[in-house]
Amino acid sequence: MKALSFDAYTLKWIAIVAMIANHVAFGFSSVLPFGILIVLYAVGGATYVIMAFFVVEGYKHTSNLKKYMGRLLLFGLIAQAFHPMVLGSSAMVDIGIFLNIMFTIILSLFVLLMYDKIKIRFLFWVLFIVACFVSFFMDLFFTGVLIPLLYYTIKRENLRRVLPGVIIGVFWLMFGGLTSIMPLMYLLTGEFAEGVYMAADMTGMTIELMAVLPSFAIGCFIGAFLLRNYNGDRGKPAKWLFYVVYPLHLAIIAAVMVAMGLVSFNLFGVI
């Protein structure tokens, strides 16, 4: 039996499809069947596990880090116009300071740069903790800066490809399991309504999304498996692929949500 083998181009497309699935789950969670929601959210877990790996590869091989981060900032600003409509309406989103994944990636690159430049490790870890607090205003929170750091610091290649995805998968399994208990009980029994609604409002997630949160771990494990079978080839050039698809798909999902009456039209969460 021929072993599975994926080049970078294929893996990036898998991450993009998973990302779209995740955002469809977020945007349409209130109208999608529960089973489909679980599948979409599970698939979505593979997105950043794969994406972060190639962010680190980009950091290691880019000839101009400033231009790399500048591109992320430009497309992140464009995507931010539609991001709040798709990702929810938490208090942070409402005042326009819940930033999309491009900003998480920029922050993670600063963390990698600090790791290289700051030789006093105690100081680095203090700054890393600060970065984790900053990340709570961004997609994926502290996991968004932790995963790239793991990819960068683990030396054995076979472990480097697999371990970060497994670690973050275990985290989402445990955290998601705890988070989903009350929403699941509410959906099944109708109890704890007030507490569940308050929790959903604070997180910007729907009750349904909170209930399926543990399934996100499945995608993390899948992402680790796929990277284990990465063959090291770049495949077709795809420099601008993610940059273009990211804001474009958010704009399309937001437009459909507005047309269906699921969300009011607003840009950047404030306009």
Side-chain angles (χ1 to χ4, degrees), residues 164-258:
V166 171
I167 289 173
I168 215 66
V170 170
F171 166 79
W172 283 113
L173 191 62
M174 295 172 62
F175 175 74
L178 293 172
T179 304
S180 67
I181 292 173
M182 283 184 63
L184 277 174
M185 292 183 70
Y186 168 72
L187 291 171
L188 293 172
T189 67
E191 297 182 7
F192 310 110
E194 183 177 352
V196 171
Y197 276 110
M198 286 180 61
D201 183 62
M202 289 176 61
T203 60
M205 299 178 72
T206 64
I207 294 169
E208 292 81 7
L209 276 176
M210 292 177 68
V212 302
L213 191 58
S215 67
F216 197 74
I218 297 172
C220 296
F221 298 139
I222 291 173
F225 171 78
L226 293 171
L227 285 172
R228 179 181 180 274
N229 292 281
Y230 171 46
N231 59 24
D233 294 334
R234 293 180 61 184
K236 297 179 182 179
K239 182 177 180 179
W240 294 97
L241 180 64
F242 178 69
Y243 295 112
V244 174
V245 170
Y246 185 68
L248 179 61
H249 91 282
L250 285 177
I252 293 172
I253 293 173
V256 175
M257 290 174 67
V258 170

